[in-house]
């Protein structure tokens, strides 16, 4: 029997002698799997893995893949699948709550990266000129920032997993955040990844890529040296009470009692404020005098106000009856009247967007059976010693604009109350706590992140860690000597200016592209093919 020759049936033409990874990328399934994995890679830069350095090259495999796309459609698919992989990796801890619904959400949000994929292919594909290379280092990051801006809308899940947030423990990056917020950090990271691609895959553009990297390094260095720094003015002793995981029958009352016990242990430690975590009180203190009296007794014993968090049904007007999540300040004589109602709610966790259409999600996962009600405005609370505190609840600490507004309203300390008890065995607690460092660096104000079950942590006005965090395996109370500061960061003054800069870059780029298309003559349509006497198309050269 003669030896079989030729290619395998499922091997496309031209694959003989191709390397294995090249054959993989030439199949739809293989290329799609690579895109999903490449998009997921940046998630390793966030806690808990905390491979922060990976963020500077984590996008390179994804960018190289898109760069190799033969058509705009393929580039869009690579962008979509990569975005889906990123969203799944960054939000994988939601699977116990949303189950298969998380796959649909990730796929829908991944569509935001489809036009970005086309943009990447147009700018980085082929052999980019020096001019196109420099444009890519500005335009590709600007496109990425638009995606982060859109998905930061609360209804789409909020700004969780912004690429710049991976640098929460890197001092130079925190200095950059004080100038342009997490937005400027994200912009810089994508620019570095784009320049690395030019160095690795575009020989004609290596000089331009290297020049962009040097310019970026000089810019970061100038920021570190000359950006305004907060001026420390003293310290505040803030205590965090973390009961830990309390489950089973009567868990709400047992958790409250354990919180009381831990708070009593703070007597004599000269604290300025005691902070309990999210949903630490399950009744409306204005209607439960007994519970309010118990907290007031703790305030008298410790010699400081106690900031608790109510997750309770309340009537707040003729048409405002329902469940609120509220930060409530309690002093020696009971609630002081300072109360902040959570304004931005967790989609599906605390309300179901478009419940009439998506209400079925409650039968698939652990989506909210009843929508919580929202507060109407931020609140700054003043303690007896004059310290002004700005409270946030749960994932509100992910929104840069909220802590910025509190700072503009005069807050000297930002406090976030959270729970994360549902996600104890995931990366979520560490990721959530790390956001406090960014918010502190952006605003020049210290931040305390207090939780029921960990991770609880404190950060100084430059985003530096203060004291030792309480991990997810801890049950106790910790006192943090938090540095206070005055002064205004450029981010507080100017807001999200990198976003507006990115919009301007994209407007100039697309405007210039539109003008070039108008000036270029329209391509002439080819005429019908010539035919021979026999009626078949003519063959050139025959």
């Amino acid at each position: 029997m003669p030896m079989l020759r030729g290619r395998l049936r499922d091997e496309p033409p031209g694959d003989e002698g191709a390397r294995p990874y090249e054959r993989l990328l030439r199949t739809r399934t293989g290329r799609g799997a690579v895109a999903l994995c490449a998009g997921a890679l940046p998630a390793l830069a966030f806690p808990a893995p905390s491979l922060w350095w990976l963020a500077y090259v984590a996008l390179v495999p994804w960018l190289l893949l898109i760069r190799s796309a033969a058509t705009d459609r393929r580039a869009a698919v690579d962008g979509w699948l990569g975005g889906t992989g990123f969203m799944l990796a960054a939000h994988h801890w939601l699977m116990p709550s949303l189950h298969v619904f998380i796959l649909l959400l990730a796929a829908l949000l991944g569509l935001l990266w489809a036009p970005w994929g086309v943009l990447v292919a147009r700018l980085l594909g082929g052999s980019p000129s020096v001019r196109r290379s420099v444009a890519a280092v500005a335009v590709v990051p600007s496109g990425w920032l638009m995606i982060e801006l859109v998905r930061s809308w609360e209804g789409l899940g909020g700004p969780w997993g912004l690429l710049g947030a991976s640098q929460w423990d890197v001092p130079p990056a925190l200095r950059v955040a004080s100038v342009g917020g997490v937005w400027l950090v994200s912009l810089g990271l994508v620019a570095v990844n784009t320049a690395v691609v030019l160095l690795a895959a575009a020989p004609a553009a290596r000089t331009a890529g290297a020049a962009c990297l040097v310019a970026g390094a000089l810019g970061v260095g100038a920021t570190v040296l000359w950006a305004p720094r907060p001026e420390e003015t003293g310290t505040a002793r803030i205590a965090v009470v973390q009961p830990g995981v309390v489950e089973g029958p009567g868990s709400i009352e047992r958790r409250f009692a354990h919180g009381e016990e831990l708070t009593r242990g703070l007597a004599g430690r000269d604290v300025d404020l005691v902070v309990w975590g999210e949903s630490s009180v399950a009744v409306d203190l204005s209607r439960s005098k007994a519970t309010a009296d118990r907290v007031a007794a703790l305030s008298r014993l410790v010699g400081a106000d106690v900031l608790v968090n109510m997750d309770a049904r309340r009537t707040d007007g003729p048409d405002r009856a329902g469940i609120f999540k509220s930060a409530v300040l309690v002093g020696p004589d009971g609630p002081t009247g300072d109360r902040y109602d959570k304004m931005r709610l967790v989609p599906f966790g605390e309300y179901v967007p478009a419940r009439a259409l998506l209400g079925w999600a409650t039968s698939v996962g652990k989506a909210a059976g009843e929508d919580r009600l929202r507060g109407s405005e931020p609140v700054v609370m003043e303690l007896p010693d004059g310290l002004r505190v700005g409270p946030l609840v749960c994932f509100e600490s992910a929104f840069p604009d909220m802590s910025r507004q509190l700072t503009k309203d005069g807050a000297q300390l930002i406090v976030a109350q959270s729970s994360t008890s549902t996600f104890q065995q995931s990366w979520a607690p560490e990721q959530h706590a790390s956001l406090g460092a960014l918010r502190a660096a952006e605003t020049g104000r210290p931040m305390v992140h207090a939780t029921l079950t960990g991770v609880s942590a404190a950060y100084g006005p430059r985003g530096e860690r203060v004291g030792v965090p309480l991990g997810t395996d801890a049950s106790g109370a910790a006192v943090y000597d938090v540095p206070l500061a005055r002064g205004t960061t450029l981010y507080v003054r100017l807001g999200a200016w990198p976003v507006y800069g990115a919009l301007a870059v994209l407007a100039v780029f697309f405007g210039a592209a539109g003008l070039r298309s108008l000036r270029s003559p329209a391509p002439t349509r080819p005429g019908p093919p010539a035919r021979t006497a026999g009626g078949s198309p003519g063959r050139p050269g025959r």
Side-chain angles (χ1 to χ4, degrees), residues 356-379:
L357 295 175
L358 301 177
W360 56 268
T362 59
S363 61
V364 176
K366 300 178 182 178
E370 176 183 352
D371 292 348
R372 266 55 173 176
L373 299 185
R374 305 170 185 272
S376 57
E377 60 184 3
V379 173

Side-chain angles (χ1 to χ4, degrees), residues 160-328:
W160 191 282
L162 301 185
L163 190 60
S166 65
Q167 306 301 294
W168 68 279
D169 202 23
V170 182
L174 292 174
R175 293 285 290 141
V176 171
S178 74
V179 173
V182 68
W183 310 109
L184 187 57
V185 183
S186 287
L187 201 68
L189 288 173
V190 183
V192 170
N193 278 270
T194 306
V196 170
V197 168
L198 293 172
L199 289 175
R206 283 175 182 167
T207 300
C212 290
L213 286 175
V214 171
L218 291 175
V220 172
T223 300
V224 171
L225 291 174
W226 293 310
R229 296 176 182 267
E231 180 184 349
E232 294 189 9
T233 59
T235 59
R237 287 178 63 80
I238 310 299
V240 171
V241 172
Q242 180 176 298
V245 177
V246 181
E247 297 176 327
S251 58
I252 294 176
E253 176 55 34
R254 288 189 292 114
R255 184 177 61 203
F256 185 90
H258 190 35
E260 283 182 302
E261 179 185 356
L262 294 172
T263 304
R264 292 190 193 100
L266 297 170
R269 300 192 63 179
D270 193 28
V271 298
D272 297 303
L273 176 68
V274 179
V275 184
W276 287 18
E278 179 188 12
S279 303
S280 49
V281 176
V283 296
D284 181 2
L285 293 181
S286 65
R287 293 190 172 188
S288 178
K289 187 175 184 304
T291 304
D293 287 345
R294 289 168 68 178
V295 181
L298 294 173
S299 174
R300 291 192 296 271
L301 177 64
V302 175
D305 287 0
V306 181
L307 185 66
V308 300
N309 187 274
M310 299 188 321
D311 188 354
R313 191 171 299 279
R314 194 181 77 233
T315 300
D316 196 38
D319 301 318
R320 293 273 290 171
I323 301 174
F324 289 82
K325 283 198 174 184
S326 309
V328 178

Side-chain angles (χ1 to χ4, degrees), residues 53-124:
W53 50 268
L54 184 63
Y56 295 86
V57 293
L59 297 179
V60 170
W62 189 6
L63 290 170
L64 289 173
L65 179 70
I66 297 174
R67 179 179 179 272
S68 70
T71 64
D72 285 349
R73 179 179 179 182
R74 184 66 251 180
V77 172
D78 290 341
W80 168 52
L81 291 176
T84 301
F86 178 71
M87 295 307 294
L88 280 174
H91 296 81
H92 72 276
W93 43 273
L94 286 172
M95 287 185 181
S97 298
L98 296 181
H99 299 293
V100 295
F101 195 62
I102 187 64
L103 300 176
L104 175 60
L105 288 176
L108 290 174
L109 290 173
L111 288 171
L112 293 172
W113 277 271
W116 182 76
V118 176
L119 193 66
V120 169
R122 292 289 184 92
L123 287 165
L124 294 178

Side-chain angles (χ1 to χ4, degrees), residues 391-463:
L392 298 171
V393 182
C394 191
F395 95 139
E396 288 182 329
S397 65
F399 292 85
D401 64 303
M402 296 196 72
S403 51
R404 175 176 178 255
Q405 185 60 53
L406 287 171
T407 303
K408 293 179 70 175
D409 290 344
Q412 298 168 284
L413 169 69
I414 299 170
V415 174
Q417 297 172 300
S418 183
S419 174
T420 64
S421 55
T422 308
F423 312 107
Q424 283 296 95
Q425 308 304 319
S426 72
W427 297 349
E430 286 83 3
Q431 286 185 24
H432 200 177
S434 71
L435 295 173
L438 283 159
R439 302 293 87 86
E442 289 168 343
T443 60
R445 297 294 181 267
M447 183 162 180
V448 173
H449 182 81
T451 73
L452 290 180
T453 56
V455 174
S456 296
Y459 303 94
R462 298 177 184 177

